[in-house]
Amino acid sequence: MARVHNFSAGPAALPTSVLAEIADEMMDYRGCGMSVLEMSHRSSMYQQIIDDAEATLRRLLSIPDNYRVLFLQGGATLQFAGIPMNLMRRGRAGYVVTGNFANKAYKEAAKYGEAVLLASSEDTNFDRIPTMADVNARIAAEAAGDGLDYVYICQNNTIFGTMYHELPACGDVPLVADVSSCFLSQPLDVERYGLIYAGAQKNAGAAGVTVVIVRDGLIADGPAFAQTPQYLDLKTQAAKGSMLNTPNTFGIYVCGKVFRWVEQTGGLAAMAERNWAKANLLYDLLENSKLFHGTAQTDSRSIANVTFRTGDADLDAAFVAGAAEHQIQNVKGHRLVGGMRASVYNAVTMEDVQALATYMKGFEAQHSLSPRSN
Ligand SMILES: *Cc1c(COP(=O)(O)O)cnc(C)c1O
C-alpha cells in the first residue's frame, strides 16, 4: 500500500485509521449483513449512526442545547443562497469579502436582498483579513442605521491562505461564518455565532455533506422568503432531523468517524496545537527562505492552508511537477493565486509536512546553486 503525502485543499486527506475502519465495515456493518451504503436511512441502525455523529460533534464543540446541528447536501455553495433565504428578514445583511468564497456568498446574497459590503481585502489580492476595528465600526454604524439581519464572514480563506484571528464584534447582530476549511482545526466558541457551516470535504469527512450549526431562535419563524425551497428551509430540516429527504447517508457516517477520531486523538485544543506546529514549520521555512515566500500577511495566516510562491512561474511549475517524485501531491496553488498551496488539515501528519519541508529545502538549494542563465 503506497500512500502519498497529500496536501489537497479538498476533498482532502482523511485519517488512515478512519479509512481502515470504513474498509473493515464495508461488506458487513457491525453484523447487520449489509454496508452503510445499502441501508435505509429510516432504519434504527442508521438512526444510531447519525445520532452518534451529532452527539460526538456536540461534545467536541460543546454545542449548546439551543443550537441545531444539520447534515445537509449541496456543499457550502448551496448555503450561499440558503443563508439569505432563511435569515434576510428585513432584506439587508453585511458581508466581509476576504476571498473567492466570501465574494461568491456576497454575490449570491445580493439576489435576495441588499448585501452590504462591510469591508474587502481585494485591493491587496486578499492577502489579509481587514482590520477588525474598521470592520467593527462599520458594523456598528450599519446596525444603528438601516440595520443588518446578520454579518457574514468566511473565517478561513482556503484559496488565499488567510484566517480570522479575531472575530468581528457584532453586538446583537448574528454572526454567520463559513468555516469550511477551519472546521475542527481548532476550538470554536459556538455561542459567538448565529450560524456556522462547513463543507465536510476539507477537514471533517467526505464530499457531499455540509454541516450547519444554527441557533434555534434564528430559524424559529421559518425562512425569510415564502419561495425558499423546502430543502433549504432550515426550520423544516431541523424538525426532520436532516431527513426531510434521503440524506448523504454514507457521507454522514464518514463524518461521524472523523468526529470520533478527533475526540480520541485529544479533541480540538490538541488538534490546534498540532495544526499550528505543522503550519509554523512551513511558515518558518518560508520566512528563512531566499527562494520561496508566503503570500499571506503574517498576522492573517491560516492554520490550514499555507500559500507560497517563488515569484517565477516557471520555477513554481517545476516545483509542483517535481513534488510527485517525492510522493508529494496536490501542492499546486489555486488558479486565482498561482504558486503553491499546502493544506495541512487535521489528517495531514507532521511526517507529511516534514517531507514537504525537506523537498522545499532541497529544491531551494538546487536552484540557488545553479542560477538559470537566461
Ligand atoms: C471549499 C470551500 C467552499 C465551497 O465548498 P463546496 O462544498 O464545493 O460548495 C466554500 N467555502 C470555503 C471556505 C471552502 O473552503
Side-chain angles (χ1 to χ4, degrees), residues 94-98 102 105 118 132 135 139 150-157 164 166-168 170 175-179 193 195 197:
Y95 278 74
V96 182
V97 173
T98 49
L118 297 171
M132 238 8 76
V135 174
I139 293 170
Y150 58 87
V151 167
Y152 181 101
I153 63 168
C154 178
Q155 197 160 321
N156 185 80
N157 298 279
Y164 284 72
E166 179 193 345
L167 292 176
C170 302
L175 178 62
V176 172
D178 175 355
V179 296
Y193 305 83
L195 186 152
Y197 71 105

Side-chain angles (χ1 to χ4, degrees), residues 266-288:
L268 295 178
M271 206 50 89
E273 206 170 299
R274 288 195 291 273
N275 284 331
W276 277 122
K278 290 180 294 178
N280 283 332
L281 186 108
L282 296 176
Y283 290 132
D284 289 348
L285 188 158
L286 292 170
E287 268 176 20
N288 294 308

